[in-house]
Amino acid sequence: MSFETYVEAAQQFFDELVDRADDDELFAGGYLRGHFDLAVGYAQVEELNLQPEELNTKIEESLVKAYRNGELTDEDKEHVVSIWEQVKTLAA
């Protein structure tokens, strides 16, 4: 799967999440989308030719840093991880 196709699939996933998610999942999805969009933006600005797996690695590094900075409660982290696992399957 190409970088562009993966990004489009993930954006569609986040958009559709709004229609089916509860409040906790909406928060986690929005939080995760911020990390996702930021990583995509950096890759585009820096003209990096990333594979979806490489993009996922950058996002995971960003999430780990956020977790270490105490940005989320343990419950919020669980929701973010759950949604992130679903997003990563889109790259397959």
Side-chain angles (χ1 to χ4, degrees):
M1 172 177 283
S2 73
F3 176 85
E4 292 82 12
T5 303
Y6 176 49
V7 169
E8 288 173 13
Q11 289 172 340
Q12 183 175 350
F13 173 88
F14 288 124
D15 290 344
E16 291 172 356
L17 190 63
V18 173
D19 295 330
R20 62 179 171 83
D22 64 25
D23 289 345
D24 291 330
E25 292 169 329
L26 282 174
F27 170 79
Y31 183 84
L32 182 55
R33 187 174 198 159
H35 282 267
F36 188 91
D37 289 348
L38 189 61
V40 169
Y42 279 130
Q44 291 172 337
V45 167
E46 296 174 12
E47 298 181 359
L48 301 176
N49 187 19
L50 298 179
Q51 295 299 312
E53 296 78 18
E54 294 169 311
L55 176 63
N56 287 349
T57 298
K58 292 190 175 297
I59 294 165
E60 288 175 357
E61 289 169 354
S62 178
L63 289 170
V64 167
K65 184 176 179 182
Y67 297 161
R68 287 186 181 147
N69 289 336
E71 291 185 16
L72 297 172
T73 66
D74 287 342
E75 184 180 346
D76 288 338
K77 280 190 251 185
E78 288 177 24
H79 291 293
V80 169
V81 168
S82 173
I83 292 171
W84 177 233
E85 291 301 319
Q86 294 174 58
V87 172
K88 288 193 307 184
T89 64
L90 301 172

